[in-house]
Amino acid sequence: KAGVTQTPRYLIKTRGQQVTLSCSPISGHRSVSWYQQTPGQGLQFLFEYFSETQRNKGNFPGRFSGRQFSNSRSEMNVSTLELGDSALYLCASSTGQATPYEQYFGPGTRLTVT
Amino acid sequence: AQSVSQHNHHVILSEAASLELGCNYSYGGTVNLFWYVQYPGQHLQLLLKYFSGDPLVKGIKGFEAEFIKSKFSFNLRKPSVQWSDTAEYFCAVNAPGGGYQKVTFGIGTKLQVIP
């Protein structure tokens, strides 16, 4: 079974620009969660999508948004980039149905904002 | 809101030394607990998990963790570390219920094992 894939792996953007990151979950998984990983803060939960619906959200500003498609692939968008948005963005997939459930992580997208 | 504290941010050990990484969480109800590991250049992967039953859980590569409910702790242990255990370790907690689950991670502990 193929693992979680994320594209692109690396991105360099300028302040004020916007960016879209993509995540393809493991086949059969319907839940996709997004996390921001920084050295000082660890992993912080952004949001989770299940069957095209956002069903959980962390404490991030509205500049961070996402969506999920019918094939469970998910995209995350960050508008009006700030220097502090530089981080590793991780996507995790799971079945989203079993309680509790395990998450499988992708390699991440390294975003650098200059 | 649930939170997770990892007390040691950077640990350096010699090979064959014993390891214990602390993890405390704050949540009064039933919780599910995880330890994840991120080896250099690799994906975050599940090391072990506790859902219910025996509070001493065993994971991959000789790791184990003990859930002590009265102390709100889930410490990770390994009797004898190897150089290949050099990685970053994350404790995570989630509280089931409400039809969905949010997993809260600790800040991580970087383990460096010296040959």
Side-chain angles (χ1 to χ4, degrees):
Chain A
K1 219 182 221 183
V4 178
T5 58
Q6 292 186 247
T7 57
R9 293 293 309 279
Y10 302 92
L11 264 179
I12 300 176
K13 290 286 188 178
T14 305
R15 266 183 306 176
Q17 288 185 313
Q18 74 165 19
V19 67
T20 299
L21 313 181
S22 180
C23 171
S24 292
I26 291 171
S27 177
H29 284 189
R30 293 164 62 188
S31 167
V32 173
S33 296
W34 288 90
Y35 294 86
Q36 181 192 68
Q37 184 179 8
T38 56
Q41 308 264 354
L43 275 82
Q44 292 188 286
F45 174 75
L46 281 153
F47 30 66
E48 181 202 12
Y49 285 86
F50 179 79
S51 293
E52 301 180 66
T53 301
Q54 186 185 89
R55 67 177 183 179
N56 207 350
K57 190 177 186 304
N59 298 321
F60 277 81
R63 300 185 295 107
F64 292 82
S65 62
R67 59 178 176 168
Q68 187 179 35
F69 302 94
S70 58
N71 61 358
S72 293
R73 189 177 70 86
S74 177
E75 287 183 347
M76 189 190 93
N77 185 275
V78 188
S79 62
T80 320
L81 284 165
E82 300 177 0
L83 293 178
D85 297 333
S86 293
L88 181 67
Y89 290 88
L90 294 172
C91 160
S93 83
S94 72
T95 60
Q97 293 176 297
T99 301
Y101 62 88
E102 294 179 25
Q103 294 182 307
Y104 298 83
F105 285 83
T109 294
R110 172 76 62 186
L111 172 64
T112 302
V113 181
T114 61
Chain B
Q2 58 202 36
S3 65
V4 179
S5 297
Q6 290 183 244
H7 315 297
N8 317 100
H9 295 169
H10 198 176
V11 173
I12 302 174
L13 293 173
S14 298
E15 273 193 316
S18 64
L19 169 73
E20 181 159 3
L21 301 182
C23 172
N24 286 89
Y25 66 92
S26 65
Y27 185 75
T30 302
V31 292
N32 301 310
L33 298 157
F34 308 83
W35 275 97
Y36 284 86
V37 60
Q38 191 171 35
Y39 297 103
Q42 294 190 27
H43 304 189
L44 203 65
Q45 58 184 284
L46 184 66
L47 197 56
L48 49 79
K49 61 194 177 192
Y50 171 79
F51 295 157
S52 63
D54 189 344
L56 184 63
V57 293
K58 295 190 184 300
I60 59 172
K61 303 187 180 184
F63 285 91
E64 64 178 32
E66 185 175 13
F67 169 53
I68 303 179
K69 190 174 180 179
S70 61
K71 295 185 178 180
F72 298 90
S73 70
F74 190 56
N75 292 355
L76 180 70
R77 300 195 293 249
K78 186 171 184 179
S80 176
V81 295
Q82 301 172 309
W83 175 79
S84 58
D85 294 324
T86 294
E88 190 160 16
Y89 294 81
F90 295 90
C91 181
V93 61
N94 85 305
Y100 55 84
Q101 301 175 51
K102 174 182 160 184
V103 181
T104 302
F105 283 80
I107 200 168
T109 297
K110 285 188 178 176
L111 171 65
Q112 184 180 354
V113 180
I114 301 170

